[in-house]
Amino acid sequence: MTVLILTSEQDVTADMAVVELNANGIPVLRLDPAELPGGAGLSGEFAHGAFHGYLSVGGRVVSMGGLRSIWVRRPGTPAARAGSASPWLTEETSQSLYGMLRCTEARWMNHPDSARQARHKPWQLWLARACGLPVPATLITTFPRAAREFAERYPDLIVKPVSGKHPDDGLAVPTTRVRPGEDYADVANGPTLLQRRVRRAADIRLTCVGDRLFAARAASSQEGPVPGDESGVDDVRFDAAAGPWRPISVPRRVADAVRTYLARAQLAYGAFDFAEDADGIWWFLECNQSGQFGFIEIETGQPIGRAVAQWLAGEPLGPVPPAGEDGERTLGAGCG
């Protein structure tokens, strides 16, 4: 039984799980949908009441019926590298690939339907609050007047994109503090997300793999304005002075709420971002259903890649080398 990983060729985060799977003799097929058709191939036959599908990558052919799990990590756009690439070919390829994979009995991390819903920030905020997680006051609006009234109630605000990355270049757009005196006229040009700024003592990344939780904390340098920094950026991803990341335990209330969130969202994997305030409250910011964990594992030693590999394998993995055994036992006791 094979583990299928849908991701780009250069994905260090996926590599960490692949190493564990290879070490335990679990067959892995790595496919970037961008290579279909040409660099990879597929075939599916529906006949006599049965479905038989096959994937071909690098000369290796695998039966879709022999897939034990499918990890949708960071797949490229289907047919993006085809010689005759077009929106039509992308749609044809996407429907063929994901349509056939839906016909298998493999389990997903995460299922495309669940992942699509999980990406919607407004729904994330609603679900987090429904599950008992503290959520900062938030407004998403195209009404300048609504924005001004919100700013009167919450004078210290940040602004960030609703969807995440900028569509023109694929780069992350930083969370930024709203400057005093803003008139909010530009809100009318597109939906704008305004949120009460949490005075962060630290940033928390909580990586969830099935029922296992791995929490890491990075002390924040953004409690007040950074001298000489006129950008107003309030984002740990762009904060060179933050950190380092250290493993921490997960409060029981947060653990219960996060597991409820994952169950209701039907996610097997989620990377949660929280802002911890001076009172130790973890404020929910977002949940990335395909967030990276490589940088966390490297800095903290938490065995996240191994946990992902074990979930994908669907069975216990062999013992870890002696050098990593103590680390996993120690970190595991404090992280979920």
Side-chain angles (χ1 to χ4, degrees), residues 216-263:
R217 182 182 190 272
S220 175
S221 69
Q222 297 294 314
E223 175 61 25
V226 178
D229 181 11
E230 301 298 328
S231 68
V233 171
D234 190 68
D235 193 319
V236 67
R237 297 171 299 175
F238 299 85
D239 184 4
W245 291 98
R246 295 286 184 258
I248 60 170
S249 60
V250 184
R252 176 55 60 89
R253 180 177 179 180
V254 174
D256 291 344
V258 162
R259 290 190 172 109
T260 301
Y261 183 109
L262 293 172

Side-chain angles (χ1 to χ4, degrees), residues 21-295:
L21 291 167
N22 288 338
N24 286 271
I26 307 295
V28 177
L29 182 68
R30 190 164 177 161
L31 167 66
D32 185 353
E35 299 292 340
L36 279 167
L42 58 76
S43 181
E45 179 179 337
F46 301 82
H48 306 295
F51 165 71
H52 300 283
Y54 299 90
L55 293 170
S56 173
V57 181
R60 178 184 170 196
V61 179
V62 171
S63 168
M64 293 187 191
L67 297 177
R68 68 171 75 199
S69 59
I70 303 168
W71 185 16
V72 186
R73 229 312 275 176
R74 289 290 176 88
T77 301
R81 299 194 186 117
S84 55
S86 68
W88 180 84
L89 184 57
T90 289
E91 184 64 20
E92 290 291 294
T93 305
S94 177
Q95 290 217 18
S96 297
L97 174 63
Y98 290 103
M100 290 182 190
L101 291 177
R102 280 175 164 84
C103 299
T104 72
E105 295 183 359
R107 59 180 190 160
W108 295 77
M109 178 184 278
N110 290 301
H111 194 283
D113 295 341
S114 299
R116 185 177 299 108
Q117 176 175 252
R119 282 193 291 268
H120 291 94
K121 183 68 65 65
W123 185 79
Q124 288 186 24
L125 298 172
W126 173 85
L127 181 59
R129 187 67 188 89
C131 294
L133 292 170
V135 178
T138 305
L139 173 71
I140 302 173
T141 186
T142 60
F143 297 154
R145 179 177 177 179
R148 287 191 288 268
E149 292 175 350
F150 188 74
E152 289 177 1
R153 296 197 303 273
Y154 306 100
D156 191 3
L157 294 175
I158 55 91
V159 60
K160 56 186 176 182
V162 178
S163 59
K165 296 181 178 180
H166 195 282
D168 293 340
D169 52 25
L171 298 177
V173 179
T175 298
T176 306
R177 295 182 70 176
V178 177
R179 298 180 184 279
E182 175 65 53
D183 66 4
Y184 298 98
D186 290 340
V187 165
N189 296 325
T192 302
L193 190 155
L194 299 170
Q195 192 170 72
R196 180 183 66 81
R197 186 176 79 95
V198 177
R199 294 183 178 272
R200 305 194 319 268
D203 289 278
I204 306 292
R205 168 58 71 93
L206 177 57
T207 308
C208 307
V209 184
D211 197 47
R212 299 190 64 185
L213 309 182
F214 301 89
R217 182 182 190 272
S220 175
S221 69
Q222 297 294 314
E223 175 61 25
V226 178
D229 181 11
E230 301 298 328
S231 68
V233 171
D234 190 68
D235 193 319
V236 67
R237 297 171 299 175
F238 299 85
D239 184 4
W245 291 98
R246 295 286 184 258
I248 60 170
S249 60
V250 184
R252 176 55 60 89
R253 180 177 179 180
V254 174
D256 291 344
V258 162
R259 290 190 172 109
T260 301
Y261 183 109
L262 293 172
R264 292 183 61 172
Q266 297 184 305
L267 297 177
Y269 176 92
F272 290 76
D273 287 326
F274 294 90
E276 180 188 356
D277 66 16
D279 295 323
I281 297 175
W282 289 19
W283 292 89
F284 173 89
L285 300 179
E286 66 178 338
C287 174
N288 188 333
Q289 51 82 31
S290 62
Q292 297 190 48
F293 61 78
F295 70 101

